[in-house]
Amino acid sequence: MWWMRGFGGLGPVISSAIYVAALLILLAVIAASSPSAFAHIHYVLNQTEISQIEAGQPPGHLAQADLLSALFLAGLLVLVAVQFLGAYEQQRGRFKGIIARLARFSSYVPVILRVLTGLFLVVSGYDSRLLAPDFHLPAGNLAPAIAGLEIIAGVLLILGLFVKVAAVFIISLLVLAVGSYGLHVIDHLELLGISIVLITEGGVRYAVDGFLLTNRRMFSRIGRRLVQLKPFSMPALRITLGTSIIWLGLTEKLLAPELTKAAVMKYGLPVFPNVDLFIFIFGAFEIILGIHYLLGIFLRTISLIYLGLLVFAFFFFGESISHFTLFAVVISILIRGSGPYTLRIRFHTEANPEDLPEEELRKLTG
């Protein structure tokens, strides 16, 4: 028939009808064999049962849950829209100028990491703590010695002297903390990523090591071998940070909201619409940010968002020195980006011909 010619004749039409009929029959069989659909609770419970459940909750509880679900979903959609917009603009090259300017400061990344981490270590040793405010040094005669070594390591990092040795010392402190605090060392896993960066490329530029050690044959040979591992430094930095963020979102917000709730009450922070749901939304958002760091997706945009959260914590909680390592990592990622070994998301010009409007026009006019 003439109206079928543009669609390739009668055969494709019959095939399509058979596929649709088979799909409808399959759905009918599934519906007949399943007396209730468990994917939707509203299908299982009748209106009387729903009203009885709602009566046992605070007034407007279910309606509030609907509103919050809509807000959370809207937030996710906005985040996805920003990602697509960012990828589209990046493909057109509009951000190349900004990225190129930031890349000029790439050599300063080890300096930023070692100076801010050095200050963090000096304060940790002065306060007799094991790296973090919530990690106390083990009791005994070794505590003053460890605190003194922390101060010395921090000073060495600030000066840029024996940087790689100081980085190895940080890793040893993390191992020591595992014995006392177990999995909660993941709270500060970014220190492992910082140590890896400093071991591979620290102490080369803008450091005392660059003047005293790089000209010596043995140290220069070690440095050349370690710098070959530089492609792994930024992935290690972002993966350890992302793991730490996800861990904190789970252990302090989603699975144990009582901790964050106590902090919110202590500082009188504004929350919407109530503290429990605010903590849930914030924890879920934090996990989403951490996943981006793990995959290496749009990290400069994500780092700007996380930098804003750190600034918020700085002003409302007074967390300054204790967050210096996080500031250092986020600023480093802003400068360098994600580095290699990431999940690449790009817009491709190639597509299935069936998806192109030209193909549809050809069929209609063929």
Side-chain angles (χ1 to χ4, degrees), residues 318-340:
E319 296 185 0
S320 53
I321 301 296
S322 58
H323 274 175
F324 265 22
T325 55
L326 295 177
F327 276 105
V329 173
V330 172
I331 293 172
S332 299
I333 294 176
L334 277 173
I335 293 174
R336 286 190 175 177
S338 59

Side-chain angles (χ1 to χ4, degrees), residues 23-237:
L23 179 61
L24 293 175
I25 293 173
L26 178 62
L27 293 175
V29 171
I30 294 174
S33 60
S34 177
S36 59
F38 293 98
H40 294 76
I41 299 300
H42 287 83
Y43 297 167
V44 180
L45 302 178
N46 56 46
Q47 188 57 46
T48 302
E49 293 170 324
I50 294 175
S51 300
Q52 291 176 350
I53 295 172
E54 190 172 12
Q57 300 293 331
H61 175 73
L62 295 182
Q64 188 181 63
D66 292 341
L67 175 61
L68 288 172
S69 300
L71 291 175
F72 186 69
L73 180 60
L76 291 178
L77 293 176
V78 169
L79 181 61
V80 172
V82 170
Q83 291 178 348
F84 274 93
L85 179 62
Y88 176 73
E89 294 296 329
Q90 185 176 0
Q91 184 190 32
R92 299 191 56 158
R94 297 184 182 182
F95 295 142
K96 288 184 178 179
I98 298 176
I99 294 174
R101 294 189 189 98
L102 290 172
R104 295 174 185 173
F105 300 95
S106 179
S107 61
Y108 291 94
V109 165
V111 182
I112 295 170
L113 291 173
R114 65 177 175 81
V115 171
L116 292 182
T117 305
L119 292 172
F120 172 81
L121 285 175
V122 170
V123 174
S124 296
Y126 180 79
D127 291 339
S128 296
R129 65 193 195 195
L130 186 59
L131 295 176
D134 54 334
F135 288 179
H136 302 288
L137 289 172
N141 298 328
L142 288 178
I146 296 175
L149 289 174
E150 282 186 301
I151 295 175
I152 294 174
V155 173
L156 291 177
L157 286 179
I158 294 171
L159 296 176
L161 180 61
F162 298 114
V163 172
K164 301 182 190 304
V165 176
V168 173
F169 175 69
I170 294 174
I171 297 176
S172 66
L173 290 179
L174 287 172
V175 174
L176 178 63
V178 170
S180 301
Y181 298 96
L183 291 176
H184 282 288
V185 174
I186 301 176
D187 294 359
H188 311 285
L189 197 63
E190 78 280 355
L191 287 167
L192 176 61
I194 292 174
S195 301
I196 293 175
V197 175
L198 295 180
I199 289 173
T200 56
E201 54 181 305
V204 178
R205 294 185 179 182
Y206 314 109
V208 176
D209 285 346
F211 299 102
L212 299 181
L213 301 180
T214 54
N215 294 327
R216 298 183 180 273
R217 182 176 301 178
M218 183 183 67
F219 291 104
S220 61
R221 188 185 302 118
I222 295 174
R224 284 196 301 270
R225 290 179 179 177
L226 290 174
V227 81
Q228 294 177 357
L229 301 175
K230 184 178 178 179
F232 299 99
S233 63
M234 290 307 296
L237 198 63

Side-chain angles (χ1 to χ4, degrees), residues 315-363:
F315 284 104
F316 281 91
F317 295 103
E319 296 185 0
S320 53
I321 301 296
S322 58
H323 274 175
F324 265 22
T325 55
L326 295 177
F327 276 105
V329 173
V330 172
I331 293 172
S332 299
I333 294 176
L334 277 173
I335 293 174
R336 286 190 175 177
S338 59
Y341 309 109
T342 62
L343 178 65
R344 297 293 182 184
I345 296 180
R346 296 179 180 176
F347 287 92
H348 296 282
T349 56
E350 301 85 359
N352 189 333
E354 296 291 334
D355 299 329
L356 300 177
E358 292 80 2
E359 184 68 14
E360 295 297 322
L361 291 174
R362 188 189 66 79
K363 288 182 178 180

